Amino acid sequence: MKLLIRDNKVLLIIIAVAVMISFVTIGGRISAESGNKTYDIVLDYNEIKAMADQSDHDIAWWLGEFKKMGISKVGVSEESIVSLMEDNELPVQAAVMDIIMRDADWESDYPADFIRELNEVGFDRYDLLIEAASAEAFGFIADAVMARYQPENYFIKETGDGGYIVLNGTAKQTLYSEKYKLMNSVRKGFIEKDEIVGSKLMYIGFGLLPSKVKIVEDAGMDVIPRTASYAGWNDTKYAKAVIDSYGKLDKQPEYMIVSGESVIGYDDGIDTVRDYIEKNHITVGMIEHTTQLKHILQYGVDDIVRSIRYDAVRVFSVWDYIQNRYQYYGYEGAKEIENTLFRAIVERNIRLIYFKPIKEYKDQHVYVTDPDEYRTMFSNLEKRLDEHNIKFGSKASVMEPYQVGIWAKIAMAIGCAAAAVFLVGTILPIGRRIKAGLLALGVLGAAGAYALTPGYAELMTAFAAAVIFPSIATLYIVKQSKEFADTLERSERLPKIAGLGIMTLIVGVAISLVGGMMTAAPISSVNYMLEIDIFRGVKLAQLLPLAFFIVAYLAYYGFGTSKKQPGTLEYQDLREMMNASIKVWMVILGVVLLGVGYYYMERTGHDTSIQVSSLEMIFRNALEDILIARPRSKEFLFAFPAVIMLAYTSIRRFKLWPILFGLASVIGMTSVNNTFMHIRTPLYLGFARTGYSLLFGIVIGIVGILLFELGHMIYKRLERQMH
């Protein structure tokens, strides 16, 4: 060890300086996270109304009940043709001209003067014809169309008791059915066909319905308008009209939660809405994707958030599949929905819940209409979050716009370069000059990358740390296990073996934890914490240290019995491995390991086809209820105990087992680092999670040694009896 330090003194000093800089950087991030401790809830008006219709009370009564629970904001969507047709308050009908013209005598269904004027202005099959059957309905739609949209995009004809509005549609805005085949009498395919069934124009906004706004305001709650904007109908005129309609509310909305494709005014620039947001100190909501990765794609949202210095919150929308988690996993009530909201707020920096009411398990249409269920769920959620010092408040807190300095990132990149040279130098016989040359290349590469592509460079710095430091931890674990095998007797007492294994585990985890800080620090700016930008390469960063384990194992154990210099990767190690005779058991073992590896990689992240079992979810939830942070199952159940088992099997001179436990150990080292790759997760959770995993892993590792020792004794006894 002394020789290793002496030969790499300069590299270790550079690494130490970079690590200290990462700790200072992490301190700034912790400060930013500590000020972001208030969450808020916004109700969805339409779904609360649908629930009220299934209950014995009207929506006003239900809003009053939620107000008693402390919720003071309601998201009210602007009316569209679809919403007006579904609601009986205003008599409105609409259809695409293609559908209307399928009737040969369609013109006779409309007033002659309207048809004459329509033919004069012109129309085509993609246009949308709206019929308002009352003066109130016509006035609401016509006024909105004239205020929001360009004259060339519409034609309006008023009649005595209503009127007609024609919107100029295009093929791009038209909605079609899926292609289907026409069959002959013997079910032979004749032709593929699709049909026009609707238009995006049926979803463009006409403003807030005054009657809905009044219900919300009479309940003493604030309206959060939801405006859906679509390309071609979303220019500056539209944006100004929408903003004017917001001004008619009792007060300016606290949040802007975008609906539709983009922010208002996106067609010809978003300066209008950005200025409005800045002037009125409105917080922008970014709706988390169902995969829990980034946010749903809405054009202009990221641009505005960056331009207003990240005055934004992450929004968790209660998607339909979450609404149906009532009595899920065998729980009583809405426990699993509560768990889902808890994880979103605590683990993913969510500070605004867009809440839709609970539905019966496996029934997408029946709401739970017992107010006590909601009261219990929100009360329990508030108590659990209080343990994390997160409070339910009148407005969601906003993350401090923390940014990591460029010089700090360059210093950490140089530290990663030094760590890479150190790692290579520990397994290959390279001299000081070569190390100095490699370090110089690393320094130049780091400086050049940040000068040319700083955004890409910070991601590469984080990725390098995520690979290099778990690999160093892996090398340390393999080195220690080999030294134990070479210096200790095969019959060494179990307490000493356990102690050595525990110390090896603690040091390995500490190295990986340092790597976690070096991974997180370069990308701890607010744009990553809010997941506007994300760290990619998580799976590759977990795979490469596993591949490096093979190199480390060959360097210390060799392949066969001809190892000459433990700690150095030699040519004969590779030659013997490549020339080895492949046995059937090796093939079977390889297939099993590949299967396990595939399962392990697929389980990483949320955008995967492999789902967590119900039993495992119940186990996870129980740990969340008991502990500050749930330890990672793969760490404490097998990866951390595997480090202790690696020391044990190496000392006992077992064949094959050190390789298997060594591979499992690498998973633990990469997992520690992976914990800190999720930048949206507050750092204190990562530290707590790793600490719990280490504690539980030690206990399970000791139990594993005892069971393995007992099993080996029984095996030997049976072997002697057979002979």
Side-chain angles (χ1 to χ4, degrees), residues 31 117 551:
S31 176
E117 293 182 31
V551 176

Side-chain angles (χ1 to χ4, degrees), residues 22-50:
S22 75
F23 285 175
V24 173
T25 302
I26 288 299
R29 171 180 162 182
I30 291 174
S31 176
E33 290 176 340
S34 64
N36 186 32
K37 292 290 188 177
T38 306
Y39 73 99
D40 199 2
I41 300 173
V42 176
L43 303 175
D44 182 277
Y45 181 95
N46 290 338
E47 294 239 16
I48 299 296
K49 175 68 166 61

Side-chain angles (χ1 to χ4, degrees), residues 47-59 62 357-360 363-370 374:
E47 294 239 16
I48 299 296
K49 175 68 166 61
M51 177 185 66
D53 291 342
Q54 294 183 9
S55 73
D56 297 328
H57 304 282
D58 62 11
I59 185 171
W62 274 102
I358 306 165
K359 293 181 179 179
E360 296 281 356
D363 193 321
Q364 297 181 359
H365 303 284
V366 179
Y367 290 93
V368 174
T369 56
D370 182 358
Y374 298 92

Side-chain angles (χ1 to χ4, degrees), residues 143-344:
D143 289 348
V145 168
M146 289 187 289
R148 294 177 174 222
Y149 306 117
Q150 298 296 337
E152 62 269 20
N153 285 335
Y154 61 83
F155 163 63
I156 295 177
K157 175 66 177 178
E158 185 176 5
T159 61
D161 54 355
Y164 300 94
I165 300 100
V166 179
L167 302 182
N168 183 24
T170 65
K172 285 186 177 181
Q173 296 158 345
T174 302
L175 303 177
Y176 300 85
S177 65
E178 290 277 359
K179 281 191 177 294
Y180 59 91
K181 288 184 178 181
L182 299 179
M183 302 286 185
N184 63 14
S185 60
V186 292
R187 296 194 61 77
K188 297 269 185 194
F190 178 68
I191 192 173
E192 283 192 336
K193 186 178 181 181
D194 56 20
E195 293 181 348
I196 292 176
V197 294
S199 171
K200 283 185 180 180
L201 300 182
M202 299 182 73
Y203 296 89
I204 63 174
F206 298 132
L208 299 173
L209 202 60
S211 59
K212 293 182 179 180
V213 172
K214 186 176 186 302
I215 290 172
V216 174
E217 292 179 343
D218 287 349
M221 305 175 84
D222 298 330
V223 172
I224 305 297
R226 302 292 310 279
T227 300
S229 305
Y230 295 93
W233 298 77
N234 188 20
D235 58 11
T236 300
K237 179 183 179 182
Y238 170 81
K240 289 179 177 179
V242 171
I243 290 171
D244 287 343
S245 71
Y246 291 173
K248 296 175 183 178
L249 301 173
D250 281 351
K251 63 178 183 178
Q252 296 292 348
E254 292 186 354
Y255 310 114
M256 178 173 285
I257 309 173
V258 175
S259 292
E261 296 175 339
S262 61
V263 298
I264 58 175
Y266 186 76
D267 282 359
D268 57 2
I270 54 178
D271 292 344
T272 301
V273 68
R274 184 195 61 211
D275 294 343
Y276 169 72
I277 289 170
E278 282 188 309
K279 178 182 177 181
N280 294 281
H281 307 290
I282 296 172
T283 299
V284 176
M286 301 176 293
I287 304 171
E288 184 184 58
H289 199 279
T290 54
T291 61
Q292 299 179 17
L293 184 67
K294 290 202 74 173
H295 311 106
I296 61 175
L297 178 60
Q298 294 175 307
Y299 299 109
V301 172
D302 288 357
D303 297 333
I304 283 183
V305 171
R306 293 181 197 274
S307 68
I308 61 174
R309 288 185 54 77
Y310 302 98
D311 186 3
V313 290
R314 304 191 68 225
V315 179
F316 180 79
S317 178
V318 179
W319 305 105
D320 52 1
Y321 71 92
I322 294 173
Q323 288 178 272
N324 287 117
R325 288 183 173 177
Y326 182 70
Q327 296 180 339
Y328 205 60
Y329 296 138
Y331 291 128
E332 292 184 2
K335 176 65 176 176
E336 183 54 20
I337 299 177
E338 173 198 318
N339 290 335
T340 303
L341 300 181
F342 175 81
R343 285 190 289 269

Side-chain angles (χ1 to χ4, degrees), residues 72-125:
S72 61
K73 299 176 185 69
V74 182
V76 182
S77 297
E78 287 199 352
E79 300 303 322
S80 65
I81 291 301
V82 170
S83 68
L84 291 172
M85 289 172 63
E86 292 175 348
D87 195 329
N88 295 325
E89 186 171 343
L90 296 178
V92 175
Q93 290 293 327
V96 180
M97 288 301 299
D98 179 86
I99 298 174
I100 294 173
M101 292 188 297
R102 292 173 193 171
D103 182 355
D105 194 29
W106 69 274
E107 293 182 346
S108 64
D109 294 333
Y110 300 92
D113 57 340
F114 166 66
I115 294 297
R116 176 176 52 77
E117 293 182 31
L118 180 62
N119 284 317
E120 288 177 358
V121 299
F123 67 92
D124 59 39
R125 61 196 293 250

